[in-house]
Amino acid sequence: MDGRTREYLEGRFGDYYRSTDVPLPPAPDEREWGVIPWSAGGTRMHRHQSLLDLGELSDYLARSAPRHVYFSSARFADPGAATMDDKGWREADLVFDIDADHLPGVDPETTGYADMLEAGKQALLDLLDLLEDDFDFDEMQAVFSGGRGYHVHVRDESIRGLDSEARREVVDYIRAIDLDFDALIETRQHGTTTQRVLRAEGGWGRRTHRRLLDFVDGLMDMEEEAALERLKELDGIGDGRAKTILGAFRNNPDAIREGNVEAGGPGVRTLVESLARETVEDETSPIDEPVTTDTKRLIRLPKSLHGGSGLVVEPLARDEIEAFDPLVDAVPDRFRGSEVSIKVTDPGEVTFDGDTFTLTSGVQSVRESLGVFLMTRGRAEKVTE
């Protein structure tokens, strides 16, 4: 990035911070703080700072206008100490990171930025569903990272003392790593007989049971031939087993709803195993393991600006996420309403703030919000007005 562009962006970031109230996280005095300034020749982080070192946060941000702003998930006795050992770790939020360019089916070379962000949002919704339903966390904050994905901060007191290994177990559950599919089914004694039943009380057994019930309801709405064909789409189910399974669903629906995988013979067990694998494939969330297992992680400060996009690191209420469009809703209002002259160095299509543009190389005047976006992403340079 050339000096003129860097100086312009630093000035506009300062204008943003002078006009914006950036809220502090809980226990801000116990957190380590880090920033990356608009320095020439790299993005070196200045860290091992406490809020006492920085001073009043809003004043500091307005004065220094950093490129990136971070705070620690951990709470320390002495957050400004120069080494991690000297800080005196107390506890840490449980933090999740979804990076859109690492998601299954997303190729950073061919997938557009807007499509990557949409895929990231769907992964976020899957993650929140798991955290709410399977862990019943209360204190959660979802945040658009300002760049390629989303963060979730969990601050329930019950989890703040977890060590790295315990946090890895949370990751393993969410990603269904080494999930024992056989263990989703248990054997129960009924008088002198035994039954193999899905563990529907919680966890991946409950999720598989829900899918089974939805699958059965869908079959019951079909004509018989269509239902049989749907069953035969699954591995290990031929014409004979399909008829047996469909008959069991129609003649003994209560047993199926209770999770009895023996009602209908081995065909139902085969069906349940197939649905369990579908459930895991569809409902896991591809979180970044090193972020969650790190008990001293630095994470972006909500309402700060992301120096690689010019977008706001936007905190999101649960009911806002579905409709949230980061390329519209995270555009700073401070950068709207005027134009700026730039030199486009990386032409091509760009989707931004509700419009799609085809950029050509060379000097041109564009909306300032778009200009900031292009300059921070390395696709344009500032020129004199």
Side-chain angles (χ1 to χ4, degrees), residues 265-311:
V268 171
R269 291 197 294 274
T270 300
L271 170 65
V272 168
E273 290 169 5
S274 179
L275 291 177
R277 296 183 187 280
E278 276 188 15
T279 302
V280 166
E281 183 176 347
D282 291 348
E283 297 182 23
T284 52
S285 184
I287 55 177
D288 189 349
E289 177 183 353
V291 173
T292 301
T293 57
D294 188 347
T295 60
K296 303 169 185 176
R297 193 77 177 187
L298 292 183
I299 198 82
R300 290 187 183 276
L301 178 66
K303 296 304 285 186
S304 65
L305 291 181
H306 190 299
S309 68
L311 298 175

Side-chain angles (χ1 to χ4, degrees), residues 92 118 126 135 161 180 211 270 298 364:
E118 180 61 27
D126 288 340
F135 291 90
D180 184 354
R211 184 167 292 237
T270 300
L298 292 183
Q364 51 199 279

Side-chain angles (χ1 to χ4, degrees), residues 246-266:
L246 189 59
F249 289 170
R250 287 178 170 165
N251 299 326
N252 197 4
D254 289 343
I256 300 301
R257 295 197 174 276
E258 291 170 2
N260 184 350
V261 300
E262 294 186 335

Side-chain angles (χ1 to χ4, degrees), residues 327-328 331 339 342 344 346-360 364-371 373-374 379:
L327 293 176
V328 175
V331 176
E339 296 209 339
I342 60 172
V344 174
D346 180 11
E349 187 174 282
V350 59
T351 298
F352 186 78
D353 209 4
D355 290 315
T356 298
F357 308 86
T358 301
L359 301 170
T360 57
Q364 51 199 279
S365 180
V366 299
R367 301 176 195 171
E368 185 182 29
S369 58
L370 175 61
F373 179 72
L374 295 172
R379 298 188 61 178

Side-chain angles (χ1 to χ4, degrees), residues 20 22 43 64 89 95 112 167 196 203 217 229-230 237 258 263 288 308 310 326 343 355 359 372:
T20 304
V22 179
T43 54
S64 61
W89 187 90
V95 177
R167 292 165 193 256
R196 286 168 55 77
D217 288 342
E229 290 302 315
R230 176 67 183 94
I237 298 179
E258 291 170 2
D288 189 349
K343 178 183 177 182
D355 290 315
L359 301 170
V372 169

Side-chain angles (χ1 to χ4, degrees), residues 55-231:
E56 206 279 322
L57 182 66
S58 60
D59 289 344
Y60 172 79
L61 294 176
R63 288 195 320 270
S64 61
R67 191 172 187 170
H68 304 278
V69 187
Y70 304 89
F71 71 103
S72 66
S73 62
R75 306 180 190 194
F76 300 102
D78 184 5
T83 67
M84 300 309 296
D85 288 341
D86 290 338
K87 291 181 186 294
W89 187 90
R90 288 174 170 169
E91 58 185 14
D93 304 338
L94 184 65
V95 177
F96 299 92
D97 176 45
I98 292 171
D99 198 342
D101 64 355
H102 295 159
L103 297 179
V106 171
D107 182 349
E109 298 297 321
T110 59
T111 306
Y113 186 50
D115 291 335
M116 287 172 56
L117 293 178
E118 180 61 27
K121 186 172 76 171
Q122 294 309 309
L124 170 67
L125 291 168
D126 288 340
L127 172 61
L128 291 174
D129 180 62
L130 281 159
L131 297 178
E132 291 164 348
D133 284 3
D134 294 21
F135 291 90
D136 197 28
F137 290 137
D138 292 321
E139 295 184 50
M140 293 194 298
Q141 181 182 52
V143 182
F144 169 57
S145 71
R148 297 179 303 230
Y150 293 85
H151 302 151
V152 176
H153 304 253
V154 179
R155 299 192 172 111
D156 288 47
E157 186 176 358
S158 60
I159 55 84
R160 296 203 301 256
L162 296 180
D163 63 14
S164 183
E165 285 304 312
R167 292 165 193 256
R168 182 170 285 106
E169 291 185 22
V170 175
V171 172
D172 288 350
Y173 178 85
I174 289 171
R175 296 179 60 182
I177 295 173
D178 296 328
L179 178 65
D180 184 354
F181 286 94
D182 290 337
L184 300 181
I185 297 171
E186 64 178 339
T187 300
R188 293 179 183 172
Q189 189 77 31
H190 287 268
T192 59
T193 63
T194 61
Q195 289 183 346
R196 286 168 55 77
V197 180
L198 258 175
R199 296 179 183 271
E201 299 85 5
W204 288 106
R206 178 174 62 182
R207 289 177 172 274
T208 300
H209 186 238
R210 287 176 186 167
R211 184 167 292 237
L212 172 63
L213 297 184
D214 289 343
F215 184 84
V216 171
D217 288 342
L219 289 182
M220 295 301 96
D221 290 338
M222 296 179 184
E223 297 293 333
E224 181 171 349
E225 280 305 311
L228 292 172
E229 290 302 315
R230 176 67 183 94
L231 283 165

